[in-house]
Each structure stands twice: as C-alpha cells, then as structure tokens.
Amino acid sequence: MKFAQPFAHNRGRSAYTYGQDAKEWLMSAELTKLGPETVPIDGHSISSGVVIGQMPLTFLYVVNREGDYVNPEQTLPGFDGSPAKSAAMTWYGRGLTFNKTSGYNLLAASAAHMGVDVEGTPMAPFKKERNAAMYAEVVEILASAIADAWGKDEA
C-alpha cells in the first residue's frame, strides 16, 4: 500500500492523504512488540507482508524525507502534551479520534501499564493505578472511539 487516508470516513475529501507525494513513508505497527519483521519491505509498504494476519488495532506512522513525523490529524496526545508521533491509531484502517480527556486517560493508562511515572508531565492529573478498573476504562475509551469511526458500518 502506497498511501492511506485513515480519516476519510469523517473528513471526506478534506482528509489528509499520507504518502500522497512520494515524499512520505508509511508503516503500520501493531500493538505488540516491534521486531525486525515489522520493517517495511520497500519505502512505501504499510506492512512487512503480514497483512493477512494483521491485528485490527494498529498505529499508522508516517515519516517525511527530513525524518519528521507527519501527523496533522492526530488527536491522541504524546507524553509531552503535543500530538502523538503516530499519524493515527486505527481500527481496521479507520482513524480513531479522541477528545483531550479520553486521550490523556488512554495515555495515562498505557503509562501505568508500562510502569512509567507521569509526574511532571501534562498527564500528571490523569495518573492511573494499574488495576482492573483502569483496563475497563481503556476498553470503554477504545470502544467509544471505534463506534465513532465505524458507526453502523461493519469492520
């Protein structure tokens, strides 16, 4: 795949087309360990050839020739408060959108899961304890974002 429009479902023709001018490279990363097998085969591959077994929840990363991340539509925050480096978190290719609260709650839960201390970051007010309630909140946030992206369409 040479290009992607993860937000075409809600932005229509105004959605950004990643990879549109051959100066951007795309990679889809599953929410698992990134190993050598995830390196794209060529400069525009979105996957390393594992499309048949690809997980439904993925991150789309796009880098331009200068090595900068391209993410003009990203609504998920990064640890420093700026948009996340990924271009989109997707469910079966459709970009998921988050408001500020749900985005920070999702990121804070990820930090708690990995044992990352969020004190002194914009996420400090959203700090989570690693427990079952935190995971239930993650499921609720993702389910809501998936419902917004897919509506009554089938994945």
Side-chain angles (χ1 to χ4, degrees), residues 17-133:
T17 303
Y18 298 92
Q20 64 187 336
D21 60 4
K23 294 180 182 175
E24 297 172 347
W25 289 267
L26 287 68
M27 183 180 99
S28 179
E30 299 171 6
L31 298 182
T32 58
K33 179 180 173 223
L34 293 178
E37 67 279 359
T38 62
V39 175
I41 294 170
D42 66 48
H44 277 93
S45 292
I46 193 168
S47 172
S48 58
V50 293
V51 174
I52 292 174
Q54 191 170 18
M55 300 294 291
L57 187 62
T58 60
F59 279 102
L60 175 66
Y61 288 92
V62 182
V63 179
N64 63 22
R65 287 188 180 195
E66 289 76 39
D68 299 320
Y69 289 98
V70 180
N71 59 354
E73 298 171 310
Q74 179 58 276
T75 59
L76 200 58
F79 283 102
D80 62 358
S82 65
K85 302 285 187 215
S86 63
M89 177 188 275
T90 68
W91 181 258
Y92 286 108
R94 284 195 183 177
L96 304 180
T97 56
F98 304 90
N99 64 34
K100 184 177 179 176
T101 302
S102 67
Y104 273 120
N105 278 323
L106 186 61
L107 189 58
S110 298
H113 174 75
M114 295 181 293
V116 174
D117 184 14
V118 297
E119 289 303 319
T121 72
M123 290 189 319
F126 299 92
K127 184 176 181 173
K128 307 274 182 215
E129 295 299 323
R130 188 175 177 183
N131 58 36

